[in-house]
Amino acid sequence: MKPKIKLRLFISRNSQAAERARDNLKAVCDDPAVKRRHDIELEIIDVDESPKLTAGDNVLVTPTLLKTLPEPVRRMVGDLSNEQDIFVTLDIDPPAGAEGRSSKTSTNRRSS
């Protein structure tokens, strides 16, 4: 059985950073090597449509990625352009060749 990873991506609908974050995260989640090893459940939440959900998860800025399972809960803020940071935050091994595939303009922040 593959380990389950639950993610919530909080975005603001009319933001270029939100579009980049969504695209960058989907590229990682849709990678065949990642899909073979992990069962990833991704929920995308538009904070303009669901502002109450941001308060419950202590989301102050967008885009914010929240990993709720497996524990510990982790979060990243920014456009998720650094794939290596995503792999570290999600605690998954990157697919072969993923090392070094990161943008130099990353605005990611990690915390435990």
Side-chain angles (χ1 to χ4, degrees), residues 9-14 18 44-55 59-64:
L9 178 61
F10 293 87
I11 61 170
S12 181
R13 85 179 77 147
N14 294 322
I44 298 176
I45 299 167
D46 185 330
V47 299
D48 299 319
E49 293 177 6
S50 304
K52 290 182 181 180
L53 291 175
T54 62
V59 173
L60 302 175
V61 297
T62 61
T64 294

Coordinates of all heavy atoms in Angstrom, one line a residue, residues 9-14 18 44-55 59-64:
L9 N -3.7 23.4 -1.0 CA -3.0 24.6 -1.6 C -4.0 25.7 -1.5 O -5.1 25.7 -2.1 CB -2.6 24.3 -3.0 CG -1.9 25.4 -3.7 CD1 -0.6 25.9 -3.0 CD2 -1.7 25.1 -5.2
F10 N -3.6 26.7 -0.8 CA -4.5 27.9 -0.6 C -4.0 29.0 -1.6 O -2.8 29.3 -1.6 CB -4.4 28.5 0.8 CG -5.0 27.6 1.8 CD1 -4.2 26.6 2.4 CD2 -6.3 27.8 2.2 CE1 -4.8 25.8 3.4 CE2 -6.9 26.9 3.2 CZ -6.1 25.9 3.8
I11 N -4.9 29.4 -2.5 CA -4.5 30.4 -3.5 C -5.6 31.6 -3.5 O -6.6 31.4 -3.0 CB -4.5 29.8 -4.9 CG1 -5.8 29.2 -5.3 CG2 -3.4 28.7 -5.0 CD1 -5.9 28.7 -6.7
S12 N -5.1 32.6 -4.1 CA -6.1 33.7 -4.4 C -6.3 33.7 -5.9 O -5.3 33.8 -6.7 CB -5.5 35.1 -4.0 OG -6.3 36.1 -4.2
R13 N -7.5 33.7 -6.4 CA -7.8 33.4 -7.8 C -7.1 34.2 -8.8 O -6.8 33.8 -9.9 CB -9.3 33.4 -8.0 CG -9.9 34.7 -8.3 CD -11.4 34.6 -8.5 NE -12.0 34.4 -7.1 CZ -13.1 34.9 -6.8 NH1 -13.9 35.5 -7.6 NH2 -13.6 34.7 -5.6
N14 N -6.9 35.5 -8.6 CA -6.4 36.4 -9.7 C -4.9 36.7 -9.4 O -4.5 37.8 -9.6 CB -7.2 37.7 -9.7 CG -8.6 37.4 -10.2 OD1 -8.8 36.6 -11.1 ND2 -9.5 38.1 -9.7
A18 N -0.2 32.3 -7.7 CA -1.1 31.2 -7.4 C -1.1 30.3 -8.6 O -1.1 29.0 -8.4 CB -2.6 31.7 -7.2
I44 N -7.4 22.1 -3.7 CA -7.0 23.5 -4.0 C -8.1 24.4 -3.5 O -9.3 24.2 -3.9 CB -6.8 23.7 -5.5 CG1 -5.6 22.9 -5.9 CG2 -6.5 25.2 -5.8 CD1 -5.3 22.9 -7.4
I45 N -7.8 25.4 -2.6 CA -8.8 26.2 -2.0 C -8.5 27.7 -2.4 O -7.5 28.2 -2.2 CB -8.7 26.1 -0.4 CG1 -9.0 24.6 -0.1 CG2 -9.6 27.0 0.2 CD1 -8.6 24.3 1.4
D46 N -9.5 28.3 -3.0 CA -9.5 29.7 -3.4 C -10.0 30.5 -2.1 O -11.1 30.3 -1.7 CB -10.4 29.9 -4.6 CG -10.3 31.4 -5.1 OD1 -10.1 32.3 -4.2 OD2 -10.6 31.6 -6.3
V47 N -9.1 31.2 -1.6 CA -9.4 31.9 -0.3 C -10.4 33.0 -0.5 O -11.1 33.4 0.4 CB -8.1 32.5 0.3 CG1 -7.1 31.4 0.7 CG2 -7.5 33.6 -0.5
D48 N -10.6 33.5 -1.8 CA -11.6 34.5 -2.0 C -13.0 33.8 -1.9 O -14.0 34.5 -1.6 CB -11.4 35.1 -3.4 CG -10.1 35.8 -3.5 OD1 -9.7 36.5 -2.6 OD2 -9.4 35.7 -4.6
E49 N -13.1 32.5 -2.2 CA -14.4 31.8 -2.2 C -14.6 31.2 -0.8 O -15.8 30.9 -0.5 CB -14.4 30.8 -3.3 CG -14.5 31.3 -4.7 CD -14.5 30.3 -5.8 OE1 -14.5 29.1 -5.4 OE2 -14.3 30.6 -6.9
S50 N -13.6 30.8 -0.1 CA -13.7 30.1 1.2 C -12.8 30.7 2.2 O -11.9 30.1 2.7 CB -13.3 28.6 1.0 OG -14.1 28.0 0.0
P51 N -13.1 32.0 2.6 CA -12.2 32.6 3.6 C -12.2 32.0 5.0 O -11.2 32.1 5.7 CB -12.7 34.1 3.6 CG -14.1 34.0 3.1 CD -14.2 32.8 2.2
K52 N -13.2 31.3 5.4 CA -13.2 30.7 6.7 C -12.2 29.5 6.8 O -11.7 29.3 7.9 CB -14.6 30.1 7.0 CG -15.6 31.2 7.3 CD -17.0 30.7 7.6 CE -18.0 31.8 7.9 NZ -19.3 31.4 8.2
L53 N -11.9 28.9 5.7 CA -11.0 27.8 5.7 C -9.5 28.3 6.0 O -8.7 27.6 6.6 CB -11.0 27.0 4.4 CG -12.2 26.2 4.1 CD1 -12.2 25.6 2.7 CD2 -12.4 25.1 5.2
T54 N -9.2 29.5 5.6 CA -7.9 30.1 5.9 C -7.7 30.3 7.4 O -6.6 30.0 7.9 CB -7.7 31.4 5.1 OG1 -8.6 32.4 5.6 CG2 -7.8 31.2 3.6
A55 N -8.7 30.7 8.1 CA -8.6 31.0 9.5 C -8.4 29.7 10.2 O -7.5 29.6 11.2 CB -9.8 31.7 10.0
V59 N -3.8 30.3 7.7 CA -3.2 30.8 6.5 C -3.3 32.3 6.4 O -4.3 32.9 6.5 CB -3.9 30.2 5.3 CG1 -3.3 30.8 4.0 CG2 -3.7 28.7 5.3
L60 N -2.1 32.9 6.4 CA -2.0 34.4 6.4 C -1.7 35.0 5.0 O -2.1 36.1 4.7 CB -1.0 34.9 7.4 CG -1.2 34.4 8.8 CD1 0.0 34.8 9.7 CD2 -2.5 34.9 9.4
V61 N -1.1 34.2 4.2 CA -0.7 34.7 2.8 C -0.9 33.6 1.8 O -1.0 32.4 2.2 CB 0.8 35.2 2.7 CG1 1.0 36.3 3.6 CG2 1.7 34.1 3.0
T62 N -1.1 34.0 0.5 CA -1.2 33.0 -0.5 C -0.1 33.3 -1.6 O 0.3 34.4 -1.7 CB -2.6 33.1 -1.2 OG1 -2.8 34.3 -1.8 CG2 -3.7 32.8 -0.2
P63 N 0.3 32.2 -2.3 CA -0.1 30.8 -2.1 C 0.6 30.2 -0.9 O 1.7 30.5 -0.6 CB 0.3 30.2 -3.4 CG 1.3 31.1 -4.0 CD 1.1 32.4 -3.4
T64 N -0.1 29.3 -0.2 CA 0.4 28.5 0.9 C 0.0 27.0 0.7 O -1.1 26.7 0.4 CB -0.2 29.0 2.3 OG1 0.3 30.3 2.5 CG2 0.2 28.0 3.4

